[in-house]
């Protein structure tokens, strides 16, 4: 009679599965499977074996999107802000350094105890001499990373990796007013690509740079240009590693991104920072009104902000190599710009590149 009674819930309540839990479990399991497939593809590429392109079906993309990556990314962001005890900092950061091959000798502060939380460690600054800016070439790499693709834009399609494309108009969004960008009005009926080219004889070029988790996470201005406009697309936060980029068509159009547009000495110029899983936070230093990875957004929506005003007719001038923004982890930067036909890239697909090194020149 003195024994305590143990109250148990009915078996039906214990094993009750909610639709949300099913989606998370199924989507998460499938995402893990895709990661394993990506690993196998990377091993084949290292051995020089060409891998045929196999695109995801609509249901596979929908299943991947069912994973609450935006929620997980916000949770990851909050975790990154938690201050670590001094005694725990070195073991945690050392594990990250070993896992992703981080070169701390380039960091402005090499002492791991200096970084109070993971966020500070991810956004670490480099020594001034660690990344000399190339002065001989007109366009430099805005960040550390891996070159996924580059070349001329053709038929309003841009390659995210070899053989997998996305729509130029879907990626950049509708044409911005010509008055704002100081461009002449394109003749009616021209394609979206032709409307971006402002000077006769010029072509439209692109370059895609993937930032891995171990890379330097800040990005800089790739040339001397003026930023006139910012367009923010809320969206998914799927992984943008090369394996997923090869698998999902128009991946960059699905994901959250910040498009900066303006002009340089040869015409149209744009830099787009693409978000990814655990990289919901994209920061542009001169844009205090930008807030990414908000809890709620309308599918397919975007918001515009103009840096042209009555008091500022020129926008935001950027010098080559100047600090522009940062990611919270790793992600992707896409450059789309206008240049004369004799512009040449000094790159190879798949090569590693560092901020300040040459992308191309006339």
């Amino acid at each position: 009679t003195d024994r305590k009674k143990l109250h148990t819930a009915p078996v039906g309540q214990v094993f009750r599965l909610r639709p949300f839990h099913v989606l998370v479990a199924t989507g998460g399991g499938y995402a893990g499977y895709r990661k394993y497939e990506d690993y196998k593809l990377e091993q084949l590429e290292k051995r020089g074996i060409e891998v045929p392109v196999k695109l995801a079906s609509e249901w596979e993309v929908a299943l991947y999107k069912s994973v609450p990556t935006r929620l997980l990314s916000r949770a990851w962001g909050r975790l990154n802000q938690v201050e670590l005890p001094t005694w725990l900092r070195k073991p945690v950061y050392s594990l990250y350094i070993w896992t992703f091959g981080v070169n701390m000798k380039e960091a402005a502060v090499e002492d791991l105890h200096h970084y109070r939380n993971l966020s500070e460690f991810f956004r670490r600054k480099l020594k001034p001499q660690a990344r000399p800016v190339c002065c001989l070439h007109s366009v430099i790499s805005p960040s550390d990373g891996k070159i996924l693709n580059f070349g001329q834009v053709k038929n309003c399609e841009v390659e995210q990796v070899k053989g997998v494309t996305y729509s130029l108009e879907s990626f950049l969004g509708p044409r911005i007013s010509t008055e704002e960008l100081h461009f002449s009005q394109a003749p009616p009926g021209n394609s979206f690509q032709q409307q971006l080219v402002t000077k006769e004889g010029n072509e439209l070029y692109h370059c895609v740079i993937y930032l891995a988790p171990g890379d330097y996470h800040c990005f800089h201005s790739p040339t001397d240009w003026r930023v006139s406009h910012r367009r923010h697309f809320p969206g998914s936060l799927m992984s943008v590693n090369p394996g997923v980029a090869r698998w999902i068509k128009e991946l960059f159009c699905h994901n959250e991104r910040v498009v900066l547009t303006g002009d340089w000495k040869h015409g149209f110029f744009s830099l787009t920072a693409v978000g990814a899983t655990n990289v919901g936070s994209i920061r542009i230093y001169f844009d205090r009104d930008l807030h990414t990875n908000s809890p709620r957004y309308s599918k397919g929506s975007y918001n515009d902000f103009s840096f042209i005003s009555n008091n500022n007719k020129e926008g935001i001038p950027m010098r080559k190599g100047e600090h522009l923004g940062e990611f919270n982890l790793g992600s992707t930067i896409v450059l789309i710009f206008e240049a004369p036909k004799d512009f040449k890239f000094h790159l190879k697909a798949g090569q590693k590149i560092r901020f300040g090194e040459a992308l191309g020149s006339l």
Side-chain angles (χ1 to χ4, degrees), residues 16 23 34 51 56 67 75 92 134 147 223 229 243 261 298 335 341:
R16 183 181 298 167
L23 286 174
R34 288 307 313 173
V51 181
V67 180
V92 170
C134 177
I147 301 296
T223 191
H229 187 272
T261 52
S298 299
L335 301 180
K341 290 183 178 180

Side-chain angles (χ1 to χ4, degrees), residues 244-263:
V244 178
R246 188 185 296 109
W247 179 55
I248 297 181
K249 183 178 175 61
E250 298 204 332
L251 171 64
F252 300 153
C253 298
H254 289 294
N255 272 15
E256 181 159 17
R257 59 198 181 277
V258 177
V259 183
L260 300 178
T261 52
D263 61 294

Side-chain angles (χ1 to χ4, degrees), residues 82-282:
V82 175
E83 185 169 343
L84 297 175
T86 305
W87 62 269
L88 189 59
R89 294 174 188 176
K90 189 170 183 179
V92 170
Y93 301 146
S94 295
L95 177 62
Y96 187 91
I97 290 168
W98 176 78
T99 303
F100 296 108
V102 178
N103 183 6
M104 284 302 293
K105 291 184 179 180
E106 297 178 331
V109 180
E110 296 184 39
D111 182 11
L112 298 179
H113 296 100
H114 169 80
Y115 302 100
R116 295 173 298 176
N117 52 48
L118 284 166
S119 181
E120 287 189 2
F121 179 72
F122 293 148
R123 295 180 289 108
R124 63 192 176 277
K125 297 297 185 288
L126 299 180
K127 294 173 181 175
Q129 67 274 20
R131 296 290 187 276
V133 175
C134 177
C135 298
L136 301 177
H137 299 275
S138 53
V139 183
I140 62 168
S141 175
S143 66
D144 289 7
K146 178 181 180 181
I147 301 296
L148 293 190
N149 216 302
F150 63 91
Q152 283 190 21
V153 177
K154 297 179 180 179
N155 301 320
C156 296
E157 292 282 320
V158 186
E159 281 195 316
Q160 57 191 33
V161 293
K162 185 177 180 181
V164 182
T165 63
Y166 55 94
S167 162
L168 179 65
E169 186 169 6
S170 297
F171 182 69
L172 295 179
R175 183 89 164 95
I176 301 165
S177 66
T178 53
E179 294 81 5
E180 186 174 322
L181 293 180
H182 309 290
F183 291 163
S184 58
Q185 182 67 48
N190 278 9
S191 69
F192 184 81
Q193 177 179 337
Q194 291 171 325
Q195 291 178 29
L196 295 180
V197 178
T198 64
K199 298 180 181 179
E200 188 176 352
N202 281 3
E203 297 287 348
L204 207 61
Y205 297 87
H206 74 99
C207 182
V208 183
I209 305 170
Y210 167 68
L211 289 74
D215 288 328
Y216 168 57
H217 297 107
C218 296
F219 51 93
H220 301 246
S221 176
T223 191
D224 296 336
W225 65 306
R226 296 179 301 172
V227 183
S228 304
H229 187 272
R230 180 260 292 161
R231 175 168 285 162
H232 172 216
F233 291 85
S236 301
L237 288 174
M238 295 184 283
S239 172
V240 292
N241 74 51
V244 178
R246 188 185 296 109
W247 179 55
I248 297 181
K249 183 178 175 61
E250 298 204 332
L251 171 64
F252 300 153
C253 298
H254 289 294
N255 272 15
E256 181 159 17
R257 59 198 181 277
V258 177
V259 183
L260 300 178
T261 52
D263 61 294
W264 69 320
K265 60 183 178 181
H266 300 295
F268 173 81
F269 198 96
S270 73
L271 180 149
T272 302
V274 183
T277 308
N278 294 336
V279 197
S281 175
I282 302 172

